[in-house]
Amino acid sequence: VFTVSEAIADFVASDIILVGGTISALNNSGIHYTTTFTPTSNAEGACSVSVLTGSFEDLEGRANIVDSVFSFTSNTTGLILYSSGSTIFTKAMWQAAGSPTSFELGTGWTEIGTLAFKQTNIASITIPASVTSIGEGAFESCTTLTSITIPASVQIIGKEAFYYATNLTSVTFAAGSGLLTIGEGAFSSTAITSIIIPASVTSIGDEAFQWAGYLTDVTFIESTDGAAGITFGTDVFANT
């Protein structure tokens, strides 16, 4: 969305300088101009959308006097890299990368944020060993996700992280898992048939596996370091 401070006469798509993609038709509604940027397919790198000084004029013939540049990084190759700034991966970042359905997160991300993929159509994701937390509702209602491998670095799976991922049949915890907490309702209403709980787990929240109606095999790996055991919430395996 481009917003100007007053009515202008000659702002057109050709006034917009693009790097790394294309835009759809430019639509005008008063002082607001809208378009959709589509990153170049099967490519990665810097993208920018710019409107430079002198590109257009107002109704009195005065040109714009400030450059407007929006820069970001896009990757449509299936690998979403971490560059700098926040290490929490969000839905906005996924959308900026072209909303891929099968992809890998690059090393550097430390958390999959709250609701990051809720109700999206992702089919597969590779989570890097730098991630330590999967946020609340991160994969909620991801009905096209069928399997997930949780790297050993993950310590916390948040509340309802995979809730109602109704076609999720396989959850694998990587060897050497350091998982501590499986949050409330984390795998509720999934289609998993078996689960191996790592020895490191100390807490499983209320209803964590409730309504996982195909779950018939649960294995707990015995701790070898003298850990006190697991604290269970209520109805952890109810209706399974």
Side-chain angles (χ1 to χ4, degrees), residues 147-173:
S147 65
I148 190 82
T149 297
I150 310 295
S153 56
V154 171
Q155 297 179 7
I156 298 171
I157 297 177
K159 177 181 178 180
E160 297 181 347
F162 294 91
Y163 169 68
Y164 210 72
T166 52
N167 289 300
L168 180 64
T169 60
S170 174
V171 175
T172 302
F173 296 103

Side-chain angles (χ1 to χ4, degrees), residues 29-240:
S29 176
I31 62 171
H32 303 291
Y33 291 77
T34 60
T35 186
T36 299
F37 180 88
T38 302
T40 303
S41 62
N42 198 33
E44 65 177 274
C47 298
S48 64
V49 179
S50 309
V51 179
L52 303 182
T53 299
S55 297
F56 58 87
E57 297 178 346
D58 65 14
L59 299 182
E60 297 181 4
R62 294 172 297 196
N64 64 305
I65 59 173
V66 179
D67 290 347
S68 296
V69 181
F70 175 61
S71 300
F72 56 99
T73 299
S74 173
N75 189 310
T76 54
T77 63
L79 174 64
I80 302 178
L81 299 170
Y82 172 75
S83 54
S84 61
S86 175
T87 59
I88 301 174
F89 191 83
T90 66
K91 180 173 286 187
M93 294 172 179
W94 175 71
Q95 291 170 332
S99 303
T101 58
S102 297
F103 58 97
E104 176 182 355
L105 295 181
T107 299
W109 302 107
T110 62
E111 180 179 344
I112 296 178
T114 299
L115 307 180
F117 300 106
K118 181 179 179 179
Q119 294 179 326
T120 62
N121 62 343
I122 65 167
S124 67
I125 177 174
T126 300
I127 301 173
S130 53
V131 168
T132 60
S133 176
I134 297 176
E136 181 175 333
F139 295 92
E140 180 179 341
S141 299
C142 287
T143 57
T144 51
L145 184 67
T146 58
S147 65
I148 190 82
T149 297
I150 310 295
S153 56
V154 171
Q155 297 179 7
I156 298 171
I157 297 177
K159 177 181 178 180
E160 297 181 347
F162 294 91
Y163 169 68
Y164 210 72
T166 52
N167 289 300
L168 180 64
T169 60
S170 174
V171 175
T172 302
F173 296 103
S177 175
L179 184 66
L180 299 174
T181 301
I182 298 175
E184 177 182 340
F187 295 99
S188 177
S189 299
T190 60
I192 58 175
T193 58
S194 64
I195 190 84
I196 299 175
I197 307 296
S200 54
V201 171
T202 60
S203 174
I204 300 179
D206 298 346
E207 303 170 0
F209 296 91
Q210 186 179 41
W211 294 110
Y214 298 96
L215 181 60
T216 58
D217 186 7
V218 179
T219 301
F220 292 89
I221 302 299
E222 184 177 1
S223 175
T224 59
D225 61 3
I230 300 175
T231 299
F232 288 88
T234 60
D235 298 323
V236 170
F237 295 103
N239 301 299
T240 59

